[in-house]
Amino acid sequence: MLSVIQRVSSARVEVDGETVGAIGQGLLVLVCAQPQDTAETAQRLLHKLLRLRIFEDDAGKMNRSLQNLDGQGRHGGLLLVSQFTLAADTRSGTRPGFSGAAEPAMARAWFDDLVTQARAQHPEVATGRFAADMKVHLVNDGPVTIPLNL
């Protein structure tokens, strides 16, 4: 799975003017399933997302994870958004190709599996709407933006 992680002060996803997912402080994660992904890939990604130490501690160093934002076990929000365009191949020409992204049915299955696992392991999980025309609003905190390829 390809992903782009953004540390946010807040983020929300709108579809047709309606907010379908929103979080306060936490992580907005754009996710692209690939043909070779498995349930294990989704589990590895989730493990990394929940434990990645990219939130500042009291000394201003990135030592805290989504599961321990304040050093006392306060959790941050996790907003997962499916985005096949992360697999864009721009090596030739001027129109990107997307053959590196999983077919829609497979991508939906892997994304849904990731969301199910996330909701079982983390108290605040929101999502966009798969295959919808989404408007993503965010306040990138830092800014901290990290690409991840698992």
Side-chain angles (χ1 to χ4, degrees):
M1 291 185 151
L2 299 171
S3 61
V4 172
I5 302 163
Q6 295 180 301
R7 186 178 78 183
V8 298
S9 298
S10 64
R12 74 180 189 281
V13 178
E14 293 179 359
V15 176
D16 296 328
E18 172 194 354
T19 298
V20 296
I23 61 169
Q25 183 181 23
L27 297 178
L28 165 64
V29 184
L30 306 174
V31 179
C32 176
Q34 297 178 288
Q36 69 272 17
D37 289 337
T38 64
E40 182 181 311
T41 309
Q43 182 58 42
R44 281 194 334 260
L45 174 58
L46 180 59
H47 182 83
K48 181 70 82 173
L49 294 174
L50 297 179
R51 291 163 183 80
L52 192 63
R53 297 182 335 178
I54 60 173
F55 294 92
E56 293 179 357
D57 63 14
D58 295 334
K61 296 189 185 271
M62 289 197 290
N63 276 328
R64 295 203 175 127
S65 71
L66 191 64
Q67 293 185 318
N68 192 16
L69 281 183
D70 63 359
Q72 298 175 12
R74 185 175 69 83
H75 292 73
L78 180 61
L79 177 55
L80 300 169
V81 177
S82 178
Q83 187 175 353
F84 78 94
T85 60
L86 292 179
D89 182 354
T90 59
R91 290 177 287 183
S92 69
T94 56
R95 183 170 187 225
F98 300 103
S99 61
E103 293 296 322
M106 179 185 288
R108 181 183 294 262
W110 292 140
F111 183 76
D112 288 349
D113 183 57
L114 175 64
V115 171
T116 298
Q117 290 182 49
R119 288 185 169 146
Q121 296 180 43
H122 194 71
E124 186 183 349
V125 178
T127 68
R129 186 172 295 155
F130 191 89
D133 180 17
M134 295 178 275
K135 307 301 180 211
V136 180
H137 304 265
L138 68 135
V139 178
N140 194 323
D141 181 18
V144 175
T145 301
I146 299 173
L148 189 61
N149 185 357
L150 293 179

